[in-house]
Amino acid sequence: MSVYQLNQHTAMGSAEKPIHQAPVVTLANGGAFIPQHYFRYSHTLASLQEIASRVRFADDVLIFAHEDKQGMYIQIGMVGRENYERGNIIRPLKLVYGRKWRIDADTPTSEIVQTIFLAIKKMREHEVRELLTLRDETSGKASTPFSTHHDVHVLARFAPPGTPTATTADASEAIVSWLDPVRFGQRRLSLLEVNQHRGGSWIVDLALGMLPLARAMEADLPEFNHLALTIVLKELSRSELLHQIMQAMIDHSDRAVEAAFQYRGFARFSRTLDPAAIASLSIAARPYARDARNAAFSEAFKASNYEVDASRAPALGKGRLADINRHKLAQFNNLSGHMPRGLHTVAQSVQPLRS
């Protein structure tokens, strides 16, 4: 049986080639394969697009694989409603795009699949962060405090520290008041129950209300409908409450992606997969003792790993950041691994950053 027959479920021509004399792993059930860490990868745009085409997810999420002057990339598009329009008219759908996720030609296929998975999660997180709104007490207008579009320079200079807190006696009353100006996708959040754990944390049960009637037919991210959630507060403060609500929404979105994401019909990141079974299969796929007896393969394997690891090392560059990283690395003696290029060049004098 040929190498490509053994790995016909993943092989894509010259994009995936096993190292010379790579061993075949045979499982107890008779299944045989060459582990991915015994392959060299030379992905092209065609093979990247082929991998992306094998991913299945929601119809409102598009996966793009392309290249520009900087190389190949994955990019996610998402069809949904405009988050910042909160009137009572039916809004047209809109296609928006996430950032470009760069892919090196030598990236293993499994890591490309993981990158697509992560890109979808982060694209949805971007949208989820814009759905949580907070009505400002002074102006009466709503804003998105967890959006990723806030100006970091303005925040660093003008955002005041501190947040309202509450005592044990008025915990419920305080939480209800903090929730009053909060909406998630125009839904209200209501307090069901709050209890203090013996360790000092607060266990808060919340319920997400229904969409306004005018919005009921155009709701995106339907997994948030009728959502009940439990959050844990380390302290009884408005900041802690809102941050934990936001994190709970992101976690809920991430789990929806885990459940629905498939590669070639396999739910790779589903929580129905038993981690113990994955661990056993991983151990079986790494027969190090047997590999060491094959001197020719062992040397080729080490050389391949060295070449790939060396190609990952970045250039240190010049300026303030280079000097910061050079100083950090100088604190470690006998550090192994591939050092950044230019590490041993003379550091330049850099003026301190002025705010």
Side-chain angles (χ1 to χ4, degrees), residues 307-318 322 325-326 329 337-345:
E307 181 181 340
V308 171
D309 290 345
S311 71
R312 296 282 192 266
L316 192 67
K318 299 179 180 179
N325 287 332
R326 183 180 287 106
L329 288 171
H338 297 274
M339 297 301 106
R341 299 188 301 278
L343 176 62
H344 300 297
T345 57

Coordinates of all heavy atoms in Angstrom, one line a residue, residues 307-318 322 325-326 329 337-345:
E307 N 15.0 22.7 10.6 CA 14.8 23.7 9.5 C 13.5 24.4 9.7 O 13.4 25.6 9.5 CB 14.7 22.9 8.2 CG 14.5 23.8 6.9 CD 14.5 23.0 5.7 OE1 15.0 21.8 5.7 OE2 13.9 23.5 4.7
V308 N 12.4 23.7 10.1 CA 11.1 24.4 10.3 C 11.2 25.4 11.4 O 10.7 26.5 11.3 CB 10.0 23.3 10.5 CG1 8.7 24.0 10.9 CG2 9.8 22.5 9.2
D309 N 11.8 24.9 12.6 CA 11.9 25.8 13.7 C 12.7 27.0 13.4 O 12.4 28.1 13.9 CB 12.5 25.0 14.9 CG 11.5 24.0 15.5 OD1 10.3 24.0 15.1 OD2 12.0 23.1 16.2
A310 N 13.8 26.8 12.7 CA 14.7 28.0 12.4 C 13.9 29.0 11.5 O 14.1 30.2 11.6 CB 15.9 27.5 11.7
S311 N 13.1 28.5 10.6 CA 12.3 29.4 9.7 C 11.3 30.2 10.5 O 10.8 31.3 10.0 CB 11.6 28.6 8.6 OG 10.5 27.9 9.1
R312 N 10.9 29.8 11.7 CA 10.0 30.5 12.5 C 10.6 31.7 13.2 O 9.9 32.6 13.7 CB 9.3 29.6 13.5 CG 8.5 28.5 13.0 CD 7.1 28.9 12.5 NE 6.3 27.8 12.2 CZ 6.1 27.3 11.0 NH1 6.8 27.8 10.0 NH2 5.2 26.3 10.8
A313 N 11.9 31.7 13.4 CA 12.5 32.8 14.2 C 12.4 34.1 13.5 O 12.8 34.2 12.3 CB 14.0 32.4 14.4
P314 N 11.9 35.2 14.1 CA 11.8 36.5 13.5 C 13.1 37.3 13.6 O 14.1 36.9 14.2 CB 10.7 37.1 14.4 CG 11.0 36.6 15.7 CD 11.4 35.1 15.5
A315 N 13.1 38.4 12.8 CA 14.2 39.3 13.0 C 13.9 40.2 14.2 O 12.8 40.6 14.4 CB 14.3 40.1 11.7
L316 N 15.0 40.5 14.9 CA 14.8 41.4 16.1 C 14.5 42.8 15.7 O 13.7 43.5 16.4 CB 16.1 41.3 16.9 CG 16.0 41.9 18.3 CD1 15.1 41.1 19.2 CD2 17.4 42.0 19.0
G317 N 15.1 43.2 14.6 CA 14.8 44.6 14.1 C 15.6 45.6 14.9 O 16.6 45.3 15.5
K318 N 15.1 46.9 14.8 CA 15.8 48.0 15.4 C 14.9 48.8 16.3 O 13.7 48.6 16.2 CB 16.5 48.9 14.4 CG 17.5 48.2 13.5 CD 18.1 49.1 12.5 CE 19.1 48.5 11.6 NZ 19.7 49.4 10.6
A322 N 13.1 46.4 19.8 CA 14.3 45.5 19.7 C 15.1 45.5 21.0 O 15.5 44.5 21.5 CB 15.1 45.9 18.5
N325 N 13.2 43.6 23.8 CA 13.3 42.2 23.7 C 14.8 41.7 23.9 O 15.0 40.6 24.5 CB 12.9 41.8 22.3 CG 11.4 41.9 22.1 OD1 10.6 41.8 23.1 ND2 10.9 42.1 20.9
R326 N 15.7 42.5 23.5 CA 17.1 42.1 23.7 C 17.4 42.1 25.2 O 18.1 41.2 25.8 CB 18.1 43.1 23.0 CG 19.6 42.7 23.2 CD 20.4 43.8 22.5 NE 20.4 43.6 21.0 CZ 19.7 44.4 20.2 NH1 19.1 45.5 20.7 NH2 19.8 44.2 18.9
L329 N 15.8 38.9 26.8 CA 16.5 37.7 26.5 C 17.8 37.6 27.3 O 18.3 36.5 27.6 CB 16.8 37.6 25.0 CG 15.5 37.3 24.2 CD1 15.9 37.4 22.7 CD2 15.0 35.9 24.4
G337 N 16.8 27.0 21.8 CA 15.9 27.4 20.8 C 16.6 28.4 19.8 O 17.8 28.7 19.9
H338 N 15.9 28.8 18.8 CA 16.4 29.7 17.8 C 16.3 31.1 18.2 O 15.1 31.6 18.3 CB 15.8 29.4 16.4 CG 16.0 28.0 15.9 ND1 17.1 27.6 15.2 CD2 15.2 26.9 16.1 CE1 17.0 26.3 14.9 NE2 15.9 25.9 15.5
M339 N 17.4 31.8 18.3 CA 17.3 33.2 18.7 C 16.9 34.1 17.5 O 17.1 33.7 16.4 CB 18.7 33.7 19.2 CG 19.2 33.0 20.5 SD 18.1 33.1 21.9 CE 17.3 31.5 21.9
P340 N 16.3 35.2 17.8 CA 15.9 36.1 16.7 C 17.1 36.6 16.0 O 18.2 36.9 16.6 CB 15.1 37.2 17.4 CG 15.6 37.2 18.8 CD 15.8 35.8 19.1
R341 N 17.0 36.8 14.7 CA 18.1 37.3 13.9 C 18.4 38.7 14.3 O 17.5 39.6 14.5 CB 17.7 37.3 12.4 CG 17.4 35.9 11.9 CD 17.3 35.9 10.3 NE 16.2 36.8 9.9 CZ 14.9 36.4 9.9 NH1 14.5 35.2 10.3 NH2 14.0 37.3 9.4
G342 N 19.7 39.0 14.4 CA 20.1 40.3 14.8 C 20.3 40.5 16.3 O 20.5 41.7 16.8
L343 N 20.2 39.5 17.1 CA 20.2 39.6 18.6 C 21.5 40.1 19.1 O 21.5 40.9 20.0 CB 19.9 38.2 19.2 CG 20.1 38.1 20.7 CD1 19.0 39.0 21.4 CD2 19.9 36.7 21.2
H344 N 22.6 39.8 18.4 CA 23.9 40.2 18.9 C 24.5 41.4 18.3 O 25.6 41.8 18.5 CB 24.9 39.0 18.7 CG 24.5 37.8 19.4 ND1 24.3 37.7 20.8 CD2 24.1 36.6 18.9 CE1 23.9 36.5 21.1 NE2 23.7 35.8 20.0
T345 N 23.6 42.2 17.5 CA 24.1 43.5 17.0 C 24.0 44.5 18.2 O 23.4 44.3 19.2 CB 23.2 43.9 15.9 OG1 21.8 44.0 16.4 CG2 23.2 43.0 14.7

